[in-house]
């Protein structure tokens, strides 16, 4: 029997409603025979949790989010780590980084790395980290101090808002990196400077949780005010999701078109969006549901007619990869309207299995929504093509096999 490593998995926060793809991966690795232990840099803030979180057996513990909150723990960690042969190598790397990024955040990451090494479980053989920005900084310093190999899963914001020099140095030090979109893979591959240690693996879905929706979908076409077309979006209210553009598009729809929009998700921008909807005269046609768990979201996919996200690239470079909620919607034969940003085009093709428009263009988005609202036959055709692609190419078992192969081939 092949020996499966015990892996310590470092996370920015756990559990998080917006990171079902990570929870799904953790459960998949446990089912593949890996013994995991989870350590997070932040405690949970969500009031709900998904069913998948309760199925994961791994022990969870937390690093000090702010070093001054637990000074004795941090001090004890440094006393332990300073005796390790790799401490001064890590300190040198930290000081080099500090010259280029002098911030409290940088000090915090080095302190968290010391605590991680000092409290490292004796039987853990490997460190795997999600996100190549701040969590990977902790992992890199910890790996140097403790002489432990490490690997990283990079996703979206962490790739596009990080400085090139920092990504390059992390990719030189990590055993390997895996990422979930081709556009992200190409950027990281370029920055790996010939190491060829970056791998592409789409997250996919646990299709057992998203079985084919057997019911016949509604033929609503927006002509009946008593039975409006049901538009759904799921996502945090943050700038990169483009909800302000979506609201502007809805305000441009013809007056004779009957629709109702439901938004699921929390986020810092939520109150501002609610105010914008009122300013645009839309408040009576929108339901803001807040955060829901996966089972509740699934019911909304099944009772809606169209799914929309107006993803954009923000001023600081932040963007989505391929939003998992769009894959979930497609798995339920729910047609998608979105933008041609980042990894979205790796699953969705306009006029073939979706309608895609330019980001920031509310008028284009309004036209695409109107077409979807008025043409039930178009919705059915595009949605069936998208579901077929999801079920053939985006099964999460594929990504678990990729990770299993990489961990198996890696030297402890």
């Amino acid at each position: 029997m092949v020996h499966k490593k015990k892996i310590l998995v470092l996370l920015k926060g756990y559990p998080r409603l917006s990171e079902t793809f990570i929870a799904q991966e953790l459960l998949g690795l446990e089912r593949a025979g890996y013994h995991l232990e989870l350590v997070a840099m932040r405690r949970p803030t969500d009031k709900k949790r998904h069913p998948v979180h309760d199925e994961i057996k791994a022990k969870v513990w937390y690093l000090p989010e702010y070093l001054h909150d637990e000074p004795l723990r941090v001090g004890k960690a440094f006393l332990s780590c300073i005796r390790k042969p790799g401490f001064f190598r890590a300190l040198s790397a930290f000081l080099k980084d500090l010259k280029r990024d002098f911030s409290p955040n940088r000090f915090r990451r080095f302190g968290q790395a010391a605590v991680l090494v000092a409290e490292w479980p004796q039987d853990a053989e490997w460190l795997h980290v999600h996100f190549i920005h701040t969590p990977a900084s902790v992992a890199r310093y910890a790996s140097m101090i403790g002489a432990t190999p490490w690997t990283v899963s990079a996703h979206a914001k962490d790739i596009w808002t990080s400085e090139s020099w920092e990504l390059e140095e992390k990719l030189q030090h990590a055993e390997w990196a895996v990422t979930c979109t081709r556009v992200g893979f190409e950027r990281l591959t370029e920055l790996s400077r010939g190491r060829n240690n970056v791998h592409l693996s789409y997250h996919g879905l646990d299709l057992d949780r998203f079985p084919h929706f057997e019911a016949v979908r509604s033929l609503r076409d927006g002509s009946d005010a008593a039975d409006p077309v049901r538009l759904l979006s799921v996502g945090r209210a943050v700038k990169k999701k483009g909800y302000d553009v979506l609201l502007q598009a809805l305000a441009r729809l013809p007056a004779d078109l009957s629709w109702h929009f439901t938004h699921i998700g929390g986020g810092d921008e939520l109150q501002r969006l609610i105010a914008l909807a009122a300013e645009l005269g839309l408040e009576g046609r929108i339901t803001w549901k807040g955060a829901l768990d996966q089972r509740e979201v699934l019911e909304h996919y099944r009772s809606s007619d169209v799914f929309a996200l107006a993803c954009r690239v923000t001023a600081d470079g932040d963007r989505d990869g391929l939003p998992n909620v769009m894959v979930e919607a497609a798995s339920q034969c729910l047609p998608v309207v979105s933008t041609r940003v980042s990894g979205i085009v790796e699953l969705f093709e306009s006029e073939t299995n979706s309608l895609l428009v330019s980001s920031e263009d509310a008028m284009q988005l309004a036209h695409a929504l109107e077409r979807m609202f008025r043409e039930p036959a178009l919705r059915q055709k595009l949605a069936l093509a998208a579901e077929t692609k999801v079920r053939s190419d985006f099964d999460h078992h594929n990504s678990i096999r990729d990770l299993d192969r990489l961990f198996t081939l890696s030297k402890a």
Side-chain angles (χ1 to χ4, degrees), residues 1-123:
M1 183 176 178
V2 177
H3 168 69
K4 301 274 189 177
K5 299 176 177 67
K6 176 174 178 180
I7 302 169
L8 190 67
V9 183
L10 177 63
L11 305 156
K12 190 165 186 179
Y14 183 85
R16 282 182 163 177
L17 283 175
S18 62
E19 294 175 359
T20 52
F21 59 94
I22 292 178
Q24 178 180 279
E25 178 183 295
L26 297 173
L27 183 60
L29 287 171
E30 285 191 334
R31 288 175 173 173
Y34 287 92
H35 182 194
L36 307 181
E37 189 163 321
L38 312 182
V39 55
M41 295 157 58
R42 292 180 183 173
R43 293 184 178 274
T45 56
D46 296 319
K47 294 177 181 177
K48 289 177 174 279
R49 53 193 284 137
H50 294 305
V52 64
H53 291 128
D54 296 322
E55 297 172 36
I56 295 167
K57 297 182 174 64
K59 173 185 173 183
V60 186
W61 51 283
Y62 296 89
L63 297 174
E65 185 171 348
Y66 296 99
L67 304 184
H68 59 76
D69 288 342
E70 300 183 68
L72 292 178
R73 185 182 179 195
V74 174
K76 183 179 177 182
F78 274 108
L79 287 174
S80 170
C81 289
I82 201 167
R83 296 191 292 268
K84 294 185 178 293
F87 178 80
F88 288 100
R89 180 186 173 209
L91 180 62
S92 176
F94 161 70
L95 292 173
K96 182 181 177 183
D97 293 342
L98 192 63
K99 288 180 181 178
R100 295 173 288 191
D101 173 35
F102 191 86
S103 66
N105 182 60
R106 184 66 60 180
F107 285 97
R108 189 182 314 150
R109 301 313 165 213
F110 191 65
Q112 288 174 320
V115 174
L116 178 61
V117 173
E119 299 180 9
W120 184 270
Q122 288 187 346
D123 54 346

Side-chain angles (χ1 to χ4, degrees), residues 43 46 53 77 88 91 107 130 133 144 156 165 177 196 233 235 255 298 314 317-318 324 352 367 379 384 389:
R43 293 184 178 274
D46 296 319
H53 291 128
F88 288 100
L91 180 62
F107 285 97
H130 274 278
H133 55 348
M144 289 179 177
W165 63 263
N196 296 317
S233 190
L298 178 60
T314 63
D318 190 14
N324 218 50
T352 299
H367 287 319
R379 297 202 298 264
L384 180 59
K389 188 170 181 64

Side-chain angles (χ1 to χ4, degrees), residues 134-238:
T134 50
S137 295
V138 175
R140 178 170 168 253
Y141 299 144
S143 173
M144 289 179 177
I145 297 169
T148 303
W150 72 287
T151 48
V152 58
S153 288
H155 301 290
K157 177 179 181 178
D158 52 325
I159 298 173
W160 300 106
T161 62
S162 296
E163 296 288 347
S164 294
W165 63 263
E166 187 157 22
L167 292 174
E168 188 173 333
E169 291 182 4
K170 287 171 179 173
L171 291 168
Q172 287 302 309
H173 192 253
E175 294 291 321
W176 47 260
V178 64
T179 192
C180 52
T181 63
R182 179 157 293 280
V183 66
F185 167 76
E186 290 170 353
R187 171 164 167 76
L188 294 179
T189 297
E190 180 184 0
L191 293 171
S192 72
R193 306 300 181 209
R195 278 200 70 198
N196 296 317
N197 63 336
V198 181
H199 305 271
L200 172 63
S201 181
Y202 294 105
H203 293 306
L205 287 185
D206 181 348
L207 295 172
D208 291 336
R209 295 184 195 275
F210 292 89
H212 173 70
F213 181 41
E214 299 289 350
V216 177
R217 285 203 172 271
S218 165
L219 298 180
R220 299 181 189 94
D221 62 4
S223 61
D224 184 355
D227 190 20
V229 174
R230 299 176 184 178
L231 175 67
L232 175 69
S233 190
V234 182
R236 288 177 300 126
V238 293

Side-chain angles (χ1 to χ4, degrees), residues 278-293:
E279 183 182 315
L280 294 169
L282 303 175
E283 69 269 45
R285 308 178 81 172
I286 300 178
T287 300
W288 306 93
K289 298 292 289 187
L292 299 179
D293 69 34

Side-chain angles (χ1 to χ4, degrees), residues 249 253 355 362-372:
L253 290 173
L355 293 181
M363 187 56 73
Q364 271 193 39
L365 185 58
H367 287 319
L369 290 170
E370 183 180 359
R371 281 185 66 194
M372 281 289 205

